[in-house]
């Protein structure tokens, strides 16, 4: 194996055009946030029954994907797989960028985003949310140190330690994110311990899908070589993760079906008439899992274009998953009187399910968060030496027979 | 509802503790004994010697009556703004039918002032909290409007303030503000002055007398005596949050 040379990209016209487009999305997102805050949340689709809406779908997706994006680096460092090592820098930067994007959305959707200081200074240590704030801050810190040990020879000796810490931390972080839902005892859709590990496996799959797209785009647009064998490795890994996540989804619903008190909820999601049933089967299961699996494990999986399609579908499925979890979970009314029926109510307790239609500003805010994540990556690869000049197979894999 | 054993145990223990405190008070000679008054005098600090609660008799609560809801809206000046989905609801009427027997009954639902409130457990800043006397409140000055408490409350007791509250609608009985979460305060401003919550007063005023307010820890209080005499339950008692609001006839 040759020594890997990392260089920054020499952004020309295309680079600035990309910055411009992403910048516009960010501006639009900020505008949307201002509009919603200024008027109050009644201008959104959210209300007192669906209190978390599309912004949370984007935010949680990005945060979950963030920890997954670090996986490529972890496989190289923690599990010592040489071909992944040259990818570690991009993996780390992408992870932090996605996290920042998600947190921005979460923050801007607060009722009082101006109270960020309050959120940072008042802690209720019983709250899993407060723990998450610590986990997120820690994640950024540890990944930054990890990146530093990769890039600075003088601290190289801490590289393993830093990589290991970041890896453990990301596992705790995703468990923490999953637990946000796992602790909601009154909600039929969330009250399950499996939520946390399921989020971990999903994070592998969403994070790798985004990583693959970013990697292919970066190497294609800068005209750097990207080896076939490396890509095959990554896409096979994506297949494993997608299958793993699907497995957890099946177990989640099967265990729910086993518990009588969750039957109505399962019926609602699996064979109900609400949009969530369609999003689940079409979005999460078919387009987000089965089709990408079909692509990745068939002949089509050898083509870059199809790998990109599969990755995009996994991302789409990720959004569908978050939709079903977050919106679907709130759509199902709280069970106040088990075994009885609410005939009428002054406050929507008597409906079959709550409806929610996202407003345009919510979507724009969410996309703004994605743009924040992407612009951070684009700027980082320009100012730092993150990308290997070549990822041709002979350059990265000592065992590659070319 | 499920697990009646746990409930009676808890109630029993509460009564026992209450009785213990009362017994101690009688030992000192010449001291007036237990307070039978149903609320706390203004000059006493909030203490865990009290636990304020409600007992709602669904057999007395009239279907179609919403005197309690109106009283609450008036007390806090909760005005409808952009439609029922986003308007504040601190208390609501619910009509329930027992599918097994066909019996229907009516009841008011509000914050249940849980002893183990999940809203307070999840609140990242500690804005949601439980006072020593059992009243669960939101400190509107440190609430960041994340709505996690609304996700966590099993009773949908909380409202998010979805819009600016016009200056003339602002109310001294509870500070309110756009972007924060709010809920029934058990009329803490009245309780602290030794008065009854507005809903209870309205229900009594209407002659229904379906609600009793009082100190669950005082064995001599009307609410404690009623609870001791007649069967009652808490909504979703199976969640073991031990709400301070009890219901009769469910
Ligand atoms: S009823 Fe809801 S808002 Fe009230 S204390 Fe219980 S969990 Fe909190
Ligand atoms: S909305 Fe306010 S009270 Fe509710 S959990 Fe968030 S900070 Fe706490």
């Amino acid at each position: 194996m040759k020594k890997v040379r990392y260089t920054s990209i020499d952004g020309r016209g295309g680079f600035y055009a990309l910055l411009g487009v992403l910048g516009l999305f960010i501006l639009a997102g900020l505008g949307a946030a201002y509009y919603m805050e200024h008027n109050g949340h009644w201008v959104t689709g959210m209300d007192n029954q669906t209190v978390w809406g599309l912004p949370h779908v984007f935010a949680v997706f990005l945060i979950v994907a963030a920890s997954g994006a670090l996986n490529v680096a972890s496989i190289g460092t923690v599990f010592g797989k040489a071909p992944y090592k040259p990818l570690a820098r991009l993996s780390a930067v992408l992870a932090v960028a996605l996290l920042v994007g998600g947190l921005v959305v979460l923050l801007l959707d607060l009722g009082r985003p101006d109270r960020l200081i309050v959120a940072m200074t008042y802690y209720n240590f019983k709250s899993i949310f407060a723990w998450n704030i610590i986990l997120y801050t820690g994640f950024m810190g540890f990944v930054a140190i990890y990146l530093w040990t990769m890039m600075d020879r003088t601290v190289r000796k801490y590289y393993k330690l830093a990589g290991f810490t970041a890896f453990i931390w990301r596992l705790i972080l995703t468990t923490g994110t999953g637990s946000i839902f796992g602790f909601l005892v009154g909600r039929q859709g969330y009250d399950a311990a499996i939520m946390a590990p399921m989020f971990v496996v999903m994070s592998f799959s969403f994070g790798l899908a985004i990583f693959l797209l970013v990697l292919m785009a970066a190497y294609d647009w800068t005209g750097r070589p990207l080896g076939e064998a490396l890509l095959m490795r990554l896409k096979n890994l994506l297949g494993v993760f997608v299958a793993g996540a699907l497995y957890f989804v099946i177990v989640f619903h099967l265990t729910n079906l086993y518990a009588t008190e969750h039957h109505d909820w399962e019926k609602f999601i699996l064979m109900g008439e609400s949009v969530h049933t369609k999003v689940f089967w079409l979005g999460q299961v078919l387009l987000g899992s089965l089709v990408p699996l079909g692509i990745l494990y068939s002949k089509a999986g050898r083509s870059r274009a199809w790998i990109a399609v599969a990755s995009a579908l996994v991302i789409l499925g990720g959004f569908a998953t978050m939709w079903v979890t977050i919106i679907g979970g709130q759509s199902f009314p709280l069970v106040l009187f088990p075994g009885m029926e609410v005939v009428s109510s002054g406050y929507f307790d008597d409906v079959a399910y709550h409806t929610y239609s996202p407003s345009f500003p919510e979507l724009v805010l969410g996309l703004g968060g994605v743009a924040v994540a992407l612009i951070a990556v684009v700027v980082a690869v320009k100012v730092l030496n993150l990308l290997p000049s070549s990822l041709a197979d002979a350059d990265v894999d000592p065992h590659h027979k070319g | 509802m499920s697990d009646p054993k746990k409930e009676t145990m808890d109630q029993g223990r509460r009564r026992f503790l209450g009785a213990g405190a009362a017994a101690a008070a009688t030992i000192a000679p010449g001291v007036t004994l237990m307070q039978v008054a149903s609320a706390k005098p203004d000059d006493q600090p909030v203490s865990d010697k009290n636990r304020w609660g409600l007992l709602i008799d669904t057999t007395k609560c009239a279907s179609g009556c919403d005197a309690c809801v109106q009283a609450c809206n008036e007390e806090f000046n909760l005005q409808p703004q952009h439609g029922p989905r986003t308007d504040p609801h601190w208390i609501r009427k619910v009509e329930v039918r027992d599918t097994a027997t066909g019996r229907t009954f009516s009841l008011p639902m509000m914050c249940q002032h849980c002893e183990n409130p999940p809203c307070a457990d999840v609140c990242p800043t500690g804005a949601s909290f439980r006072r020593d006397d059992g009243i669960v409140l939101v400190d509107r000055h440190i609430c960041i409007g994340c709505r996690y408490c609304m996700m966590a409350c099993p009773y949908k007791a909380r409202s998010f303030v979805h819009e600016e509250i016009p200056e003339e609608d602002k109310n001294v009985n509870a500070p309110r503000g756009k972007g924060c979460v709010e809920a029934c305060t058990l009329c803490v401003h009245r309780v602290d002055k030794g008065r009854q919550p507005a809903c209870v007063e309205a229900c009594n005023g209407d002659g229904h007398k379906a609600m009793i307010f009082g100190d669950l820890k005082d064995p001599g209080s009307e609410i404690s005596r009623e609870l001791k005499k007649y069967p009652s339950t808490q909504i979703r008692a199976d969640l073991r949050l031990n709400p301070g609001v009890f219901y009769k006839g469910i």
Side-chain angles (χ1 to χ4, degrees), chain B residues 209-228:
Chain B
K209 297 202 167 61
M211 295 164 107
I212 301 174
F213 168 81
D215 186 356
L216 298 166
K217 281 188 176 168
D218 173 1
S221 68
E222 187 189 358
I223 190 170
S224 297
R225 281 184 279 122
E226 287 282 313
L227 282 170
K228 193 169 177 179

Side-chain angles (χ1 to χ4, degrees), chain A residues 164-178:
Chain A
F164 204 77
T165 318
F167 174 69
I168 299 290
W169 196 267
R170 59 94 37 206
L171 286 182
I172 304 174
L173 181 138
T174 326
T175 311
T177 312

Side-chain angles (χ1 to χ4, degrees), chain B residues 8 11 74 147 156 173 176 201 227:
Chain B
T8 39
Q11 285 165 20
E74 220 160 275
R147 284 105 75 203
K156 203 171 72 178
N173 293 334
R176 307 180 57 218
E201 222 172 74
L227 282 170

